[in-house]
Amino acid sequence: MRILVLGGTWFLGKSIVEEALCRGWDVTAFNRGRSGQDVPGVHSFRGDRTDVPDLNRLTHQGPWDAVIDTSSSELPPRDVRLAAQALRDTTSRWVHVSTVSVYAGWPHQPLTDSAEVLDCPPDADGSFGYTGADGSPTKYGFQKAGGERAITEAFGERAVFLRPGVILGPGEYVGRLPWWLNRAARGGPVLAPAPAGRVIQPVDVRDVARFVVDQAAATTGGAYNVAHPEGLTFEDFLLACLAVTESDGHVVWAEPELLVEYEVRQWTELPLWRTHAGAWSVDASRAVAAGLRCRPLTETITDTWAWLRADGRPVDHPRWAEHGLAPQKEAKILAALASTSRN
């Protein structure tokens, strides 16, 4: 197999390149060379996917059996379309890493991969869409839906769309799991969002990468939700964080109403916490039938802590700073809980 990866130097893109190289594939990574280092063994080609001359130079490096797009998360549909149109005659297949945010019902409703997708034209610029008053739908979701339409316009049934929710693991740049691990390591009472038994469905970056590469070699198209089919309760998630960090901390559960009262931001201040019914109700059975295999999330937690302790440094990204509850705010809520229990 000869593949082209758009991106390929950090987190999921890097894991995809590593997985493909392990299979003995010929891999070209197209990026600007600004984020992370190239994986040894990859053919690197520098350029900007939004620049027509750079794309024209890239086409002379083909053909490829498949293109894997991991670098479109911040791009408007018209820029996704630009690359798709430039490369459609030099590859047989396009594997597009999208998001569950493209669904009109997310995060309010349980999702299958045939659920309604937000409507966004394939040539939209970055101004298209809006974010709802309660945080959904999101402008990001509209933009990603338009990107999917741009790929469909160019590739039709030769396109595959992978729609993950949350991806965790070594190299994570968003900072969700690293924040919880570092918080657990500090010890003491650890504020957590009830209910303890809520099941979450993040997936390990290495498992996503393996499934992406599988799809590059497959012959069928369509959309796949990429979520952990079994998941893990929030309680077991936090207990695993405490155990792997050898912490003396203990979990203190707060009801959602109290967290809302103290204006704790869902999804960011307490990473992975969201009260909407569909946030962690994503049906990945089609992906599982196509070969998605997910390791236990406790293994993801263990390996991420090992990466952090080995001076793991993710690519600088503004989203890292968005995640986590300030110690002063946590202490204030914990004090309120303690006062209530005494009364």
Side-chain angles (χ1 to χ4, degrees):
M1 283 285 289
R2 191 165 190 263
I3 66 169
L4 170 66
V5 178
L6 304 183
T9 59
W10 49 302
F11 201 41
L12 179 58
K14 179 182 178 183
S15 293
I16 288 169
V17 170
E18 291 172 339
E19 175 69 25
L21 289 173
C22 282
R23 300 187 189 193
W25 293 8
D26 184 290
V27 184
T28 298
F30 176 60
N31 54 67
R32 296 174 297 178
R34 299 177 184 175
S35 301
Q37 302 295 318
D38 289 309
V39 176
V42 74
H43 305 294
S44 61
F45 191 84
R46 297 287 182 251
D48 187 333
R49 61 176 292 167
T50 66
D51 183 82
V52 173
D54 283 356
L55 288 170
N56 289 337
R57 288 191 303 111
L58 177 63
T59 60
H60 296 308
Q61 305 299 308
W64 295 279
D65 296 302
V67 171
I68 298 175
D69 187 359
T70 69
S71 67
S72 65
S73 62
E74 307 298 329
L75 295 178
R78 67 180 182 185
D79 286 342
V80 177
R81 187 190 201 193
L82 197 67
Q85 290 179 333
L87 294 168
R88 62 184 169 188
D89 294 329
T90 62
T91 184
S92 302
R93 188 169 179 80
W94 188 289
V95 182
H96 195 72
V97 179
S98 187
T99 169
V100 292
S101 295
V102 300
Y103 290 115
W106 192 86
H108 298 284
Q109 303 167 6
L111 295 176
T112 68
D113 39 41
S114 60
E116 179 187 358
V117 172
L118 294 167
D119 187 19
C120 177
D123 58 350
D125 63 19
S127 67
F128 189 91
Y130 64 92
T131 296
D134 68 343
S136 63
T138 62
K139 187 175 182 179
Y140 171 73
F142 279 103
Q143 293 279 307
K144 291 291 281 185
E148 286 194 10
R149 286 188 63 182
I151 299 303
T152 300
E153 179 184 75
F155 283 86
E157 294 182 354
R158 296 186 294 146
V160 183
F161 301 104
L162 306 182
R163 297 168 178 162
V166 173
I167 303 175
L168 304 177
E172 183 195 337
Y173 66 88
V174 175
R176 296 182 176 109
L177 178 52
W179 185 84
W180 278 115
L181 284 165
N182 287 324
R183 176 62 193 90
R186 289 209 316 267
V190 178
L191 182 69
R198 180 188 294 273
V199 174
I200 59 177
Q201 297 177 280
V203 285
D204 190 290
V205 62
R206 296 161 293 185
D207 297 330
V208 179
R210 185 172 59 247
F211 186 62
V212 169
V213 174
D214 286 346
Q215 289 307 304
T219 57
T220 56
Y224 296 92
N225 291 336
V226 183
H228 203 293
E230 285 122 29
L232 191 69
T233 67
F234 223 115
E235 180 175 33
D236 287 341
F237 171 83
L238 293 180
L239 290 177
C241 289
L242 291 168
V244 76
T245 59
E246 299 180 342
S247 173
D248 62 358
H250 62 279
V251 181
V252 177
W253 298 98
E255 294 300 325
E257 295 79 10
L258 180 67
L259 297 175
V260 170
E261 178 184 339
Y262 280 86
E263 299 182 343
V264 176
R265 294 191 304 275
Q266 296 188 40
W267 213 236
T268 53
E269 282 193 293
L270 287 179
L272 307 179
W273 170 55
R274 200 156 193 172
T275 57
H276 301 81
W280 296 113
S281 185
V282 179
D283 179 8
S285 57
R286 185 168 188 263
V288 170
L292 174 66
R293 298 293 180 267
C294 293
R295 71 195 68 203
L297 284 167
T298 50
E299 182 179 329
T300 304
I301 293 166
T302 298
D303 292 349
T304 302
W305 181 240
W307 166 70
L308 287 170
R309 292 198 71 188
D311 199 27
R313 296 181 181 273
V315 172
D316 289 337
H317 197 283
R319 293 184 68 186
W320 184 280
E322 295 177 358
H323 290 84
L325 189 64
Q328 301 87 341
K329 189 170 184 177
E330 181 187 29
K332 187 176 181 179
I333 300 171
L334 288 169
L337 285 166
S339 175
T340 301
S341 65
R342 285 195 299 269
N343 296 334

mmCIF file of all heavy atoms in Angstrom, residues 101-125:
data_model
loop_
_atom_site.group_PDB
_atom_site.id
_atom_site.type_symbol
_atom_site.label_atom_id
_atom_site.label_comp_id
_atom_site.label_asym_id
_atom_site.label_seq_id
_atom_site.Cartn_x
_atom_site.Cartn_y
_atom_site.Cartn_z
ATOM 1 N N SER A 101 -19.528 15.617 16.304
ATOM 2 C CA SER A 101 -20.159 16.940 16.336
ATOM 3 C C SER A 101 -20.909 17.261 15.046
ATOM 4 O O SER A 101 -21.672 18.226 15.003
ATOM 5 C CB SER A 101 -19.106 18.024 16.593
ATOM 6 O OG SER A 101 -18.530 17.888 17.872
ATOM 7 N N VAL A 102 -20.718 16.463 13.987
ATOM 8 C CA VAL A 102 -21.445 16.721 12.737
ATOM 9 C C VAL A 102 -22.918 16.365 12.859
ATOM 10 O O VAL A 102 -23.733 16.789 12.034
ATOM 11 C CB VAL A 102 -20.842 15.951 11.539
ATOM 12 C CG1 VAL A 102 -19.392 16.351 11.319
ATOM 13 C CG2 VAL A 102 -20.984 14.440 11.701
ATOM 14 N N TYR A 103 -23.294 15.600 13.887
ATOM 15 C CA TYR A 103 -24.684 15.163 14.000
ATOM 16 C C TYR A 103 -25.568 16.267 14.580
ATOM 17 O O TYR A 103 -25.204 16.932 15.561
ATOM 18 C CB TYR A 103 -24.779 13.930 14.896
ATOM 19 C CG TYR A 103 -24.200 12.686 14.278
ATOM 20 C CD1 TYR A 103 -23.080 12.074 14.828
ATOM 21 C CD2 TYR A 103 -24.773 12.117 13.147
ATOM 22 C CE1 TYR A 103 -22.546 10.926 14.272
ATOM 23 C CE2 TYR A 103 -24.243 10.970 12.579
ATOM 24 C CZ TYR A 103 -23.132 10.378 13.142
ATOM 25 O OH TYR A 103 -22.607 9.242 12.579
ATOM 26 N N ALA A 104 -26.739 16.417 13.975
ATOM 27 C CA ALA A 104 -27.682 17.433 14.439
ATOM 28 C C ALA A 104 -28.158 17.132 15.863
ATOM 29 O O ALA A 104 -28.463 18.059 16.620
ATOM 30 C CB ALA A 104 -28.875 17.513 13.481
ATOM 31 N N GLY A 105 -28.197 15.862 16.243
ATOM 32 C CA GLY A 105 -28.710 15.488 17.558
ATOM 33 C C GLY A 105 -27.680 15.408 18.655
ATOM 34 O O GLY A 105 -28.036 15.169 19.815
ATOM 35 N N TRP A 106 -26.411 15.597 18.331
ATOM 36 C CA TRP A 106 -25.386 15.474 19.367
ATOM 37 C C TRP A 106 -25.261 16.783 20.124
ATOM 38 O O TRP A 106 -25.270 17.848 19.518
ATOM 39 C CB TRP A 106 -24.030 15.115 18.743
ATOM 40 C CG TRP A 106 -23.026 14.695 19.780
ATOM 41 C CD1 TRP A 106 -22.864 13.446 20.295
ATOM 42 C CD2 TRP A 106 -22.083 15.527 20.457
ATOM 43 N NE1 TRP A 106 -21.879 13.443 21.249
ATOM 44 C CE2 TRP A 106 -21.374 14.718 21.374
ATOM 45 C CE3 TRP A 106 -21.764 16.878 20.394
ATOM 46 C CZ2 TRP A 106 -20.383 15.212 22.205
ATOM 47 C CZ3 TRP A 106 -20.778 17.382 21.224
ATOM 48 C CH2 TRP A 106 -20.088 16.548 22.109
ATOM 49 N N PRO A 107 -25.140 16.757 21.458
ATOM 50 C CA PRO A 107 -25.046 15.607 22.363
ATOM 51 C C PRO A 107 -26.368 15.253 23.037
ATOM 52 O O PRO A 107 -26.366 14.571 24.054
ATOM 53 C CB PRO A 107 -24.040 16.111 23.393
ATOM 54 C CG PRO A 107 -24.406 17.559 23.556
ATOM 55 C CD PRO A 107 -24.814 18.019 22.184
ATOM 56 N N HIS A 108 -27.481 15.730 22.501
ATOM 57 C CA HIS A 108 -28.768 15.529 23.176
ATOM 58 C C HIS A 108 -29.341 14.128 22.989
ATOM 59 O O HIS A 108 -30.060 13.632 23.861
ATOM 60 C CB HIS A 108 -29.783 16.554 22.662
ATOM 61 C CG HIS A 108 -29.399 17.975 22.944
ATOM 62 N ND1 HIS A 108 -29.512 18.538 24.184
ATOM 63 C CD2 HIS A 108 -28.882 18.938 22.140
ATOM 64 C CE1 HIS A 108 -29.090 19.794 24.142
ATOM 65 N NE2 HIS A 108 -28.708 20.064 22.919
ATOM 66 N N GLN A 109 -29.058 13.505 21.848
ATOM 67 C CA GLN A 109 -29.716 12.249 21.507
ATOM 68 C C GLN A 109 -28.700 11.129 21.315
ATOM 69 O O GLN A 109 -27.580 11.372 20.844
ATOM 70 C CB GLN A 109 -30.505 12.419 20.202
ATOM 71 C CG GLN A 109 -31.539 13.525 20.247
ATOM 72 C CD GLN A 109 -32.070 13.866 18.857
ATOM 73 O OE1 GLN A 109 -31.734 13.194 17.875
ATOM 74 N NE2 GLN A 109 -32.887 14.893 18.775
ATOM 75 N N PRO A 110 -29.073 9.897 21.651
ATOM 76 C CA PRO A 110 -28.227 8.751 21.302
ATOM 77 C C PRO A 110 -28.008 8.713 19.791
ATOM 78 O O PRO A 110 -28.906 9.070 19.014
ATOM 79 C CB PRO A 110 -29.047 7.547 21.786
ATOM 80 C CG PRO A 110 -29.918 8.104 22.864
ATOM 81 C CD PRO A 110 -30.266 9.498 22.422
ATOM 82 N N LEU A 111 -26.838 8.275 19.371
ATOM 83 C CA LEU A 111 -26.467 8.390 17.959
ATOM 84 C C LEU A 111 -26.118 7.046 17.329
ATOM 85 O O LEU A 111 -25.415 6.226 17.924
ATOM 86 C CB LEU A 111 -25.255 9.312 17.807
ATOM 87 C CG LEU A 111 -25.424 10.778 18.178
ATOM 88 C CD1 LEU A 111 -24.084 11.487 18.057
ATOM 89 C CD2 LEU A 111 -26.464 11.445 17.288
ATOM 90 N N THR A 112 -26.602 6.856 16.109
ATOM 91 C CA THR A 112 -26.088 5.825 15.221
ATOM 92 C C THR A 112 -25.377 6.539 14.083
ATOM 93 O O THR A 112 -25.491 7.760 13.931
ATOM 94 C CB THR A 112 -27.219 4.954 14.652
ATOM 95 O OG1 THR A 112 -28.017 5.752 13.752
ATOM 96 C CG2 THR A 112 -28.109 4.400 15.759
ATOM 97 N N ASP A 113 -24.652 5.772 13.243
ATOM 98 C CA ASP A 113 -23.932 6.426 12.159
ATOM 99 C C ASP A 113 -24.846 6.808 10.990
ATOM 100 O O ASP A 113 -24.368 7.360 9.993
ATOM 101 C CB ASP A 113 -22.755 5.574 11.673
ATOM 102 C CG ASP A 113 -23.087 4.100 11.630
ATOM 103 O OD1 ASP A 113 -24.211 3.768 11.213
ATOM 104 O OD2 ASP A 113 -22.231 3.297 12.025
ATOM 105 N N SER A 114 -26.129 6.537 11.122
ATOM 106 C CA SER A 114 -27.079 6.974 10.092
ATOM 107 C C SER A 114 -27.922 8.163 10.558
ATOM 108 O O SER A 114 -28.863 8.569 9.889
ATOM 109 C CB SER A 114 -28.004 5.813 9.697
ATOM 110 O OG SER A 114 -28.745 5.361 10.822
ATOM 111 N N ALA A 115 -27.580 8.736 11.718
ATOM 112 C CA ALA A 115 -28.333 9.875 12.240
ATOM 113 C C ALA A 115 -28.154 11.099 11.336
ATOM 114 O O ALA A 115 -27.205 11.189 10.553
ATOM 115 C CB ALA A 115 -27.877 10.191 13.663
ATOM 116 N N GLU A 116 -29.087 12.040 11.464
ATOM 117 C CA GLU A 116 -29.070 13.242 10.629
ATOM 118 C C GLU A 116 -27.815 14.075 10.894
ATOM 119 O O GLU A 116 -27.405 14.281 12.038
ATOM 120 C CB GLU A 116 -30.306 14.097 10.926
ATOM 121 C CG GLU A 116 -30.375 15.386 10.122
ATOM 122 C CD GLU A 116 -31.525 16.279 10.555
ATOM 123 O OE1 GLU A 116 -32.283 15.874 11.457
ATOM 124 O OE2 GLU A 116 -31.651 17.401 9.992
ATOM 125 N N VAL A 117 -27.198 14.551 9.803
ATOM 126 C CA VAL A 117 -25.997 15.366 9.877
ATOM 127 C C VAL A 117 -26.374 16.829 9.656
ATOM 128 O O VAL A 117 -27.297 17.148 8.891
ATOM 129 C CB VAL A 117 -24.968 14.900 8.822
ATOM 130 C CG1 VAL A 117 -23.774 15.855 8.737
ATOM 131 C CG2 VAL A 117 -24.496 13.489 9.152
ATOM 132 N N LEU A 118 -25.678 17.732 10.318
ATOM 133 C CA LEU A 118 -25.915 19.168 10.147
ATOM 134 C C LEU A 118 -25.733 19.575 8.686
ATOM 135 O O LEU A 118 -24.947 18.973 7.951
ATOM 136 C CB LEU A 118 -24.943 19.965 11.027
ATOM 137 C CG LEU A 118 -25.124 19.808 12.537
ATOM 138 C CD1 LEU A 118 -23.918 20.377 13.279
ATOM 139 C CD2 LEU A 118 -26.405 20.498 12.999
ATOM 140 N N ASP A 119 -26.439 20.606 8.296
ATOM 141 C CA ASP A 119 -26.425 21.043 6.895
ATOM 142 C C ASP A 119 -25.443 22.201 6.720
ATOM 143 O O ASP A 119 -25.600 23.266 7.327
ATOM 144 C CB ASP A 119 -27.835 21.488 6.477
ATOM 145 C CG ASP A 119 -27.915 21.793 4.994
ATOM 146 O OD1 ASP A 119 -27.041 21.331 4.243
ATOM 147 O OD2 ASP A 119 -28.867 22.493 4.584
ATOM 148 N N CYS A 120 -24.443 21.975 5.907
ATOM 149 C CA CYS A 120 -23.451 23.012 5.612
ATOM 150 C C CYS A 120 -22.965 22.798 4.189
ATOM 151 O O CYS A 120 -22.613 21.666 3.820
ATOM 152 C CB CYS A 120 -22.288 22.945 6.595
ATOM 153 S SG CYS A 120 -20.963 24.136 6.270
ATOM 154 N N PRO A 121 -22.920 23.821 3.360
ATOM 155 C CA PRO A 121 -22.471 23.653 1.979
ATOM 156 C C PRO A 121 -20.980 23.335 1.887
ATOM 157 O O PRO A 121 -20.196 23.732 2.758
ATOM 158 C CB PRO A 121 -22.792 25.002 1.329
ATOM 159 C CG PRO A 121 -22.896 25.966 2.455
ATOM 160 C CD PRO A 121 -23.390 25.191 3.635
ATOM 161 N N PRO A 122 -20.569 22.627 0.836
ATOM 162 C CA PRO A 122 -19.170 22.206 0.721
ATOM 163 C C PRO A 122 -18.200 23.336 0.403
ATOM 164 O O PRO A 122 -16.987 23.142 0.510
ATOM 165 C CB PRO A 122 -19.211 21.193 -0.426
ATOM 166 C CG PRO A 122 -20.390 21.591 -1.243
ATOM 167 C CD PRO A 122 -21.401 22.099 -0.262
ATOM 168 N N ASP A 123 -18.734 24.500 0.031
ATOM 169 C CA ASP A 123 -17.862 25.628 -0.301
ATOM 170 C C ASP A 123 -17.958 26.743 0.742
ATOM 171 O O ASP A 123 -17.543 27.879 0.494
ATOM 172 C CB ASP A 123 -18.197 26.179 -1.678
ATOM 173 C CG ASP A 123 -19.654 26.638 -1.796
ATOM 174 O OD1 ASP A 123 -20.446 26.341 -0.870
ATOM 175 O OD2 ASP A 123 -19.997 27.280 -2.809
ATOM 176 N N ALA A 124 -18.496 26.426 1.929
ATOM 177 C CA ALA A 124 -18.673 27.448 2.967
ATOM 178 C C ALA A 124 -17.322 27.944 3.465
ATOM 179 O O ALA A 124 -16.324 27.217 3.492
ATOM 180 C CB ALA A 124 -19.481 26.873 4.122
ATOM 181 N N ASP A 125 -17.310 29.209 3.889
ATOM 182 C CA ASP A 125 -16.102 29.735 4.515
ATOM 183 C C ASP A 125 -16.212 29.578 6.031
ATOM 184 O O ASP A 125 -17.151 28.983 6.553
ATOM 185 C CB ASP A 125 -15.844 31.194 4.114
ATOM 186 C CG ASP A 125 -16.955 32.139 4.569
ATOM 187 O OD1 ASP A 125 -17.731 31.777 5.484
ATOM 188 O OD2 ASP A 125 -17.044 33.247 4.010
#
